[in-house]
């Protein structure tokens, strides 16, 4: 039961860091720089509020539970949602070639895909906004918005 403004997850590249938010723990911003596993089944107003994956290429974050905001910020960063939900998922314009896997019991409510990326798996997506060429989404979302400007 604690309140943390900023948590940076950085460690050995050959190990996965595991963090579980339990009780009344509230972590406002979590920056992930190494492979990690986060679990959060508490109230959506507690636990991990904002997660930024900002590691070297092939950094993997695996989530289980319900999360507010998750952003992939760097190229070739990977995200797996094993079970649970993400309210807002963003693939930043700098996060090209990133990959998101949504397992069977996973749901993303809103996804904003701003760079070439792949979203795959057996999970579901509510609303998807695409603002880049090279985006591939293998499941059919409930709502799809595409805004890609052609060069003049």
């Amino acid at each position: 039961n604690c309140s943390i403004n900023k948590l940076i997850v950085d460690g050995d590249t050959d190990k996965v860091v595991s963090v579980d938010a339990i009780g009344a723990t509230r972590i406002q911003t979590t920056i992930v720089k190494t492979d990690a596993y986060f679990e959060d089944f508490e109230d959506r107003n507690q636990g991990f509020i904002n997660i930024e994956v900002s590691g070297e290429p092939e950094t993997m974050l695996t989530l289980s539970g319900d999360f507010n905001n998750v952003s992939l910020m760097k190229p070739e960063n990977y995200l797996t949602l094993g079970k649970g939900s993400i309210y807002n998922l963003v693939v930043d314009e700098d996060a090209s070639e990133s990959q998101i896997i949504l397992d069977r019991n996973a749901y993303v409510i809103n996804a904003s895909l701003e760079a070439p990326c792949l979203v795959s798996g057996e999970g579901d997506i509510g609303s998807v906004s695409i603002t880049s060429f090279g985006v591939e989404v293998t499941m059919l979302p409930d709502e799809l918005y595409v805004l890609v400007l052609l060069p003049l």
Side-chain angles (χ1 to χ4, degrees):
N1 294 336
C2 61
S3 181
I4 300 170
N5 188 40
K6 184 185 241 181
L7 174 66
I8 299 173
V9 178
D10 194 1
D12 291 336
T13 57
D14 61 339
K15 295 182 181 175
V16 176
V17 176
S18 180
V19 182
D20 187 358
I22 57 175
T25 298
R26 179 181 171 92
I27 306 168
Q28 186 62 38
T29 302
T30 305
I31 299 173
V32 179
K33 295 182 172 263
T34 190
D35 292 351
Y37 171 80
F38 292 173
E39 190 170 288
D40 184 359
F41 288 101
E42 300 296 327
D43 181 341
R44 198 177 286 278
N45 294 321
Q46 301 295 332
F48 299 96
I49 306 303
N50 299 297
I51 298 172
E52 296 178 9
V53 183
S54 189
E56 294 298 319
E58 299 185 9
T59 296
M60 167 68 84
L61 173 62
T62 302
L63 301 175
S64 184
D66 298 315
F67 298 86
N68 286 309
N69 304 303
V70 179
S71 301
L72 300 179
M73 304 301 290
K74 296 247 180 125
E76 294 183 56
N77 281 191
Y78 304 141
L79 172 70
T80 298
L81 179 59
K83 118 173 133 170
S85 66
I86 297 172
Y87 192 80
N88 290 308
L89 172 64
V90 174
V91 176
D92 186 79
E93 62 187 16
D94 294 331
S96 63
E97 307 307 319
S98 291
Q99 296 180 24
I100 296 104
I101 298 172
L102 304 177
D103 286 345
R104 179 177 304 236
N105 294 315
Y107 184 69
V108 172
I109 297 165
N110 301 297
S112 177
L113 308 177
E114 303 169 1
C117 63
L118 171 64
V119 181
S120 63
E122 297 180 33
D124 293 306
I125 300 180
S127 173
V128 176
S129 172
I130 298 173
T131 58
S132 174
F133 290 103
V135 172
E136 182 180 351
V137 179
T138 63
M139 68 277 298
L140 184 64
D142 297 335
E143 297 176 358
L144 177 63
Y145 303 94
V146 179
L147 176 61
V148 179
L149 300 176
L150 299 174
L152 295 176

